[in-house]
């Protein structure tokens, strides 16, 4: 037995070339075989790839989907983000606990099932949802839990939970998922028909510089949220010194409320891979990496197959489309449950087999990225846009949308609306128009751009969705007239506290303090000065944090203070001057009074 | 015009900060030119008699009596200063904060290796104030205006701060007065 696992670990390391930069793959595979990556396994891996145990352990301990202790044969990860909880995730959670007789964080005594919570798994349009190992189950309810548990107990194969397949490629043999695309509105850039390989052929007829010129003429900006001009990024990478360069696609869609990349990966995989290939040609790279978030592992076999077919069709591999001197291939790098890896430098760290820690900038990835080589990292949707730009031409693209934000944007709309799903809209649409489109005219608040974006109310509904006004990577969460705002903010803060990498103090500590103060206010123990405290501390976190996560992590507090101040002020109290309303002497002496068997002398 | 008043107290502290106040040495003669002491262990006045300009608080709150005194200071002083580590963060007494109260009492009075207590009693006279569930820094109980760090803060830092406050000048301590590592 003990020799077996050692052989297995050695074999896994060998298959990954005993290459420590492939640590993510190594530990994932070991966990797949053994159920966890034990201390002994870490020691052995470290020896095999010639590194230190701490390097292995730092990876295993960092990612939510990796563990050094055995878990159940089946791990149920119930999504507990804001939207899922709005639609009853807590009741579902209770039902699971009752049915299994364990609490979240525990494993059934027979070692069959573990219960865990997880932040957004990209299924907010069909919430509540859970991952059962890699299998996605959607539209959960209390009533369905009994059936799920008994099915798993009789046959521990999560695939048995899928009774009815979703639409489109969700039903394909390689996906077999109950996930629905929920494509509500198709726009010209992403969802118009696209002849496979045509854009690539057009690209290869141009010089790389001309391709970059076209992307710049189209004025394409990154669709992940930050909106950096794509052509400029490519130009930097092309001009950077070094023969080996990399194209990375960021498919680590983790911003709560976002699920448009899920739909693109399911329905527009060819368009994505073609865009990556075009990028490879433009910057002079022969290797692409698709960093796929662990939550979307159910799409992996399907995506591998698309890559395989593209190789067979000559669209990937040696001399792409017969173009001598241009070799390009793409591999898939799986993530393992870490929101921070959506930040591009953290994503690169993860690809290099490290903890998902952001890196210092400069140097920017376009100069020194993956393995210190020039690297471009673009969002799934950005690459899809590139393919369309080469298909229809930059002028066609540039005149769509609004002035500073050409093209269309995919929005993932969820929450209190009649038709949650993916909408391809022209940039420049007002929030009011969007809310009408999705059936949510009565919305009390909208979270634009996920927790790291802004929470806006009706006075902002005439503002437009574009880079210069309300920027979003795609997440639009709608909150109806009866929703209480502060608990939503609290939930968002919980998310950042959970997902901080912990490297810098403002983000790691600051957000805990913000949430503490928020909860005091929610408990009716806040005073007017606390709002200044929240603003000051929030601003310090924005200013002093190291990466994009930290710099935006105070936004739920800051934007709700700005746009929903009344929700705070209505809860404030006026304590005796100079006294802290949060200090409760009765509660503080209760324990001692019980031990001593007497009451307090002072009150 | 009457001289401004100051008051000092040691809550859950070791009196080290008060020793540091005394370490201003002969400048204490200058200080009494500037101020009168009200409630303070230095003159052994037990209760407030006047409104005070400044209150210096040593130590955090470990029991209900500490809370009573601290609130009393807040009500009587225009400016409150948390003086030293224990007032600011709880300090050494706060080491018990991670241990349940019953365990602390058992260890102190029953199980500790040097304890001699054949009657196995834990002191429980009604005169003894009840302990709080944990040691609180002062600013969690009342609003604190200034924090003077150090264990103890240097006498010069205390002196400079008091003189600045009493002469209505900004408190601007030189770096080497507040640098400890």
């Amino acid at each position: 037995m003990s020799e077996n696992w050692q052989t297995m670990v050695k074999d896994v390391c060998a298959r990954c070339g005993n290459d420590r930069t492939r640590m993510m793959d190594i530990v994932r595979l070991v966990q797949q075989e053994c159920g966890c990556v034990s201390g002994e396994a870490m020691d052995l891996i470290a020896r095999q790839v010639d590194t230190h145990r701490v390097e292995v352990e730092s990876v295993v301990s960092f990612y939510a989907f990796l563990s050094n202790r055995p878990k159940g044969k089946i791990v149920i990860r119930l999504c507990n983000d804001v939207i899922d909880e709005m639609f009853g995730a807590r009741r579902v959670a209770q039902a699971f606990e009752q049915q299994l007789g364990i609490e979240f964080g525990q494993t059934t005594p027979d070692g069959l099932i573990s219960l865990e919570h997880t932040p957004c798994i990209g299924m907010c349009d069909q919430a509540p949802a859970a991952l059962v190992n890699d299998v996605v189950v959607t539209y959960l309810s209390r009533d369905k839990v009994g059936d799920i548990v008994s099915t798993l107990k009789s046959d521990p194969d999560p695939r048995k939970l899928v009774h009815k397949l979703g639409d489109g490629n969700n039903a394909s043999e390689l996906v077999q998922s109950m996930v629905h695309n929920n494509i509500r509105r198709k726009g010209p850039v992403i969802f118009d028909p696209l002849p496979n390989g045509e854009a690539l052929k057009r690209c290869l007829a141009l010089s790389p510089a001309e391709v970059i010129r076209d992307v710049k003429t189209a004025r394409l900006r990154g669709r992940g949220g930050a909106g950096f001009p794509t052509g400029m990024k490519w130009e930097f990478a092309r001009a950077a010194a070094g023969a080996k360069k990399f194209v990375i696609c960021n498919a680590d869609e983790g911003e709560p409320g976002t699920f448009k990349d899920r739909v693109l990966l399911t329905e527009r995989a060819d368009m994505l891979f073609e865009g990556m290939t075009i990028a490879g040609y433009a910057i002079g790279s022969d290797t692409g990496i698709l960093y796929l978030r662990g939550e979307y592992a159910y799409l992996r076999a399907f995506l591998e197959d698309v890559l395989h077919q593209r190789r067979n069709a000559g669209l990937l591999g040696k001399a792409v489309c017969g173009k001598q001197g241009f070799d390009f291939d793409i591999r898939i790098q799986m993530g393992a449950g870490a929101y921070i890896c959506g930040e591009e430098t953290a994503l690169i760290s993860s690809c290099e087999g490290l903890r998902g820690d952001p890196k210092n900038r400069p140097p920017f990835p376009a100069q020194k990225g993956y393995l210190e080589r020039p690297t471009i990292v673009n969002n799934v949707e950005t690459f899809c846009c590139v393919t369309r730009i080469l298909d229809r031409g930059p002028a066609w693209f540039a005149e769509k949308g609004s002035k500073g934000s050409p093209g269309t944007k995919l929005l993932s709309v969820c929450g209190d609306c009649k038709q949650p799903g993916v909408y391809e809209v022209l940039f420049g649409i007002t929030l009011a128009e969007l809310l009408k489109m999705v059936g949510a005219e009565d919305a009390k608040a909208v979270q634009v751009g996920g927790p790291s974006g802004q929470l806006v109310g009706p006075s902002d509904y005439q503002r437009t969705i574009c880079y210069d006004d309300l920027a979003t990577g795609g997440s639009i969460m709608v909150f109806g007239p009866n929703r209480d705002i502060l608990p939503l903010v609290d939930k968002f803060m919980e998310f950042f506290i959970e997902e901080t990498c912990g490297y810098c103090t403002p983000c790691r500590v600051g957000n805990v303090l913000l949430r503490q103060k928020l909860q005091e206010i929610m408990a009716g123990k806040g005073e007017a000065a606390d709002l200044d405290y929240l603003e000051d501390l929030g601003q310090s976190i924005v200013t002093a944090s190291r990466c994009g996560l930290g710099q935006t992590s105070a936004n739920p507090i800051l934007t709700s203070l700005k746009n929903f101040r009344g929700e705070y002020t209505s809860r404030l109290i006026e304590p005796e001057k100079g006294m802290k309303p949060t200090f409760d002497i009765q509660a503080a002496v209760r324990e001692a009074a019980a031990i001593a068997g007497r009451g307090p002398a002072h009150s | 015009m009457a001289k401004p008043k100051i008051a000092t107290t040691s809550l859950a502290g070791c009196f080290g900060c008060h020793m540091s106040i005394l370490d201003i040495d002969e400048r204490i003669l200058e200080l009494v030119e500037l101020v009168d002491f009200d409630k303070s262990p230095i003159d052994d006045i037990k209760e407030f008699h006047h409104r005070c300009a400044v209150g210096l608080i040593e130590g955090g709150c470990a029991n209900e009596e500490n809370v009573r005194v601290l609130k009393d200071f807040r009500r009587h002083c225009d400016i409150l200063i948390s003086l030293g580590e224990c007032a600011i963060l709880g300090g050494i007494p706060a080491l018990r904060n991670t241990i349940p109260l019953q365990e602390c009492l058992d260890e102190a009075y029953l199980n500790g290796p040097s304890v001699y207590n054949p009657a196995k009693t834990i002191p429980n006279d009604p005169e003894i104030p009840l302990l709080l569930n944990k040691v609180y820094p002062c600013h969690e109980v009342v609003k604190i205006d200034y924090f003077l760090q150090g264990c103890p803060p240097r006498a010069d830092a205390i002196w400079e701060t008091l003189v600045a406050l009493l002469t209505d000048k900004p408190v601007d301590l030189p770096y080497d007065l507040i640098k400890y590592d």
Side-chain angles (χ1 to χ4, degrees), chain B residues 58-69:
Chain B
E58 170 188 342
C61 291
N63 62 38
E64 53 176 335
E65 170 68 7
N66 297 152
V67 173
R68 188 191 69 81
V69 172

Side-chain angles (χ1 to χ4, degrees), chain A residues 576 578 580 588 592 596 598 601, chain B residues 64 75 124 128 131 133 141 143:
Chain A
E576 185 193 335
K580 286 284 177 187
R598 62 188 164 103
Chain B
E64 53 176 335
R75 291 185 185 111
N124 190 15
I128 302 174
L131 291 171
N133 57 338
V141 178
K143 182 172 180 293

Side-chain angles (χ1 to χ4, degrees), chain A residues 576-585 587-593 595-603, chain B residues 64-65 67-68 71 74-75 100-102 105 124-126 128-133 136 139-143:
Chain A
E576 185 193 335
K577 194 168 178 298
M579 303 300 159
K580 286 284 177 187
T582 40
F583 180 75
D584 179 353
I585 180 83
V589 295
R590 193 168 297 137
E591 205 179 339
I595 292 170
R598 62 188 164 103
H602 313 289
S603 59
Chain B
E64 53 176 335
E65 170 68 7
V67 173
R68 188 191 69 81
K71 288 186 166 179
R74 182 69 274 180
R75 291 185 185 111
L101 192 54
Q102 181 79 61
L105 292 169
N124 190 15
D125 190 283
I128 302 174
L130 290 174
L131 291 171
L132 306 183
N133 57 338
Y136 292 80
H139 65 271
E140 287 189 9
V141 178
V142 303
K143 182 172 180 293

Side-chain angles (χ1 to χ4, degrees), chain B residues 36-50:
Chain B
D36 283 332
F37 278 83
D38 199 90
K39 174 176 163 64
S40 169
I42 290 173
D43 54 15
D44 208 22
I45 297 178
K46 306 287 190 200
E47 295 298 336
F48 279 101
H49 289 83
H50 302 281

Side-chain angles (χ1 to χ4, degrees), chain A residues 374-412:
Chain A
T375 304
I376 57 153
V377 183
N378 283 123
N379 178 259
V380 174
E381 190 183 345
T382 313
F383 283 120
C384 290
C385 290
V386 164
T387 307
R388 182 63 77 192
I389 289 168
L390 269 293
D391 172 53
R392 297 257 167 99
W396 177 89
F397 186 89
E399 68 193 21
K400 299 264 175 303
S402 73
K403 199 159 170 270
S405 309
T408 62
K409 184 77 194 83
L410 283 191
L411 299 176
S412 323

